[in-house]
Amino acid sequence: MLEDSIQEFINCYKQDKHELPETHAETINLQIALNKEGYKKESRWVGWHGAVRANDQGAIKEEAVLLHNIVAFLLPNFDIEAKREDALEAERAAEKAVPLRSILNEPFGLCWAWWDLGCARLAAKDTDGAIYALGEGLNLAERSLNEDKNDPKLKQVSLWLKLFSLRALWKSGNSGNHLRPEARRITEAIFKLDNTWDKKTLLRLSDLK
């Protein structure tokens, strides 16, 4: 069924007949599927226009999800070897998502929104902006963990915020010898919490370059 939706959308898109699916859930699924099948430009179109429609209809969570997906799909390798135009577009999406997640008052989602923004700014070579965003997310994660120390999801996002804070510090010129060993410990902890992550990717991130 989703394959039919993809082909139908692509055929219409090529004829400049751009139309979103009826529901927000279908729109999110189409955005994901298009990206997975390599239709990057079309996936972004669905993401941005779906987010506008969600905003018009007050669907805050769905808008935030669409914006997060835009960031994730533009930066598949995080801040590593990102094209500047992709990084700047990801930053625009992340900046819109942070206040939405704040309205929803869900610490886990808001922490990831701050991480998205920090990652996008790091990819765009804005290390000061990245440090600020990652710091905001990390402060929130630590406050939330004080209330629930055993929440595995908060533990994981806290680790990712710490890892990218170290990457931002390194790229800002603070290349202290302690940063890489600390980054390696963090990636090991990430893998321990979720062993679906690719070890080579985590190792590359811990190198901080």
Side-chain angles (χ1 to χ4, degrees), residues 4-179:
D4 293 340
S5 298
I6 292 172
Q7 198 55 55
E8 181 182 354
F9 178 84
I10 293 299
N11 291 338
C12 291
Y13 190 90
K14 288 178 178 177
Q15 300 172 41
D16 290 328
K17 297 177 181 178
H18 304 157
E19 187 173 338
L20 293 170
E22 289 186 8
T23 70
H24 299 302
E26 289 172 328
T27 301
I28 292 168
N29 288 337
L30 179 62
Q31 179 197 25
I32 294 169
L34 285 167
N35 180 76
K36 184 177 180 180
E37 294 300 319
Y39 296 108
K40 306 294 184 181
K41 179 176 67 174
E42 293 83 355
S43 176
R44 291 202 303 275
W45 187 92
V46 170
W48 283 113
H49 286 79
V52 169
R53 183 179 67 176
N55 181 274
D56 290 342
Q57 297 179 0
I60 297 173
K61 191 161 190 173
E62 289 80 1
E63 182 184 0
V65 170
L66 287 159
L67 291 168
H68 162 74
N69 289 344
I70 290 171
V71 177
F73 298 157
L74 282 166
L75 303 175
N77 296 314
F78 306 103
D79 62 309
I80 299 172
E81 299 172 356
K83 294 180 180 178
R84 179 164 176 77
E85 59 267 27
D86 289 345
L88 292 174
E89 185 175 349
E91 184 179 9
R92 290 198 301 275
E95 285 176 342
K96 290 178 178 293
V98 168
L100 297 174
R101 290 293 183 180
S102 182
I103 292 170
L104 290 168
N105 195 28
E106 296 172 353
F108 176 70
L110 181 53
C111 285
W112 273 121
W114 279 117
W115 181 88
D116 277 347
L117 182 55
C119 180
R121 286 178 173 172
L122 200 55
K125 314 299 184 188
D126 177 11
T127 52
D128 289 342
I131 289 170
Y132 172 80
L134 295 163
E136 288 292 305
L138 188 55
N139 286 338
L140 174 60
E142 289 178 344
R143 290 199 306 271
S144 301
L145 280 169
N146 284 337
E147 297 176 8
D148 187 357
K149 291 181 171 60
N150 297 315
D151 187 323
K153 294 195 299 183
L154 283 171
K155 284 182 178 179
Q156 185 172 88
V157 70
S158 174
L159 289 169
W160 279 98
L161 286 159
K162 288 177 181 177
L163 176 61
F164 273 73
S165 293
L166 292 179
R167 290 183 64 77
L169 284 172
W170 181 276
K171 293 189 177 189
S172 70
N174 184 354
S175 53
N177 292 331
H178 66 288
L179 295 183

Side-chain angles (χ1 to χ4, degrees), residues 175-188:
S175 53
N177 292 331
H178 66 288
L179 295 183
R180 273 185 175 150
E182 178 63 18
R184 187 66 55 83
R185 284 192 291 271
I186 290 170
T187 54
E188 288 172 356

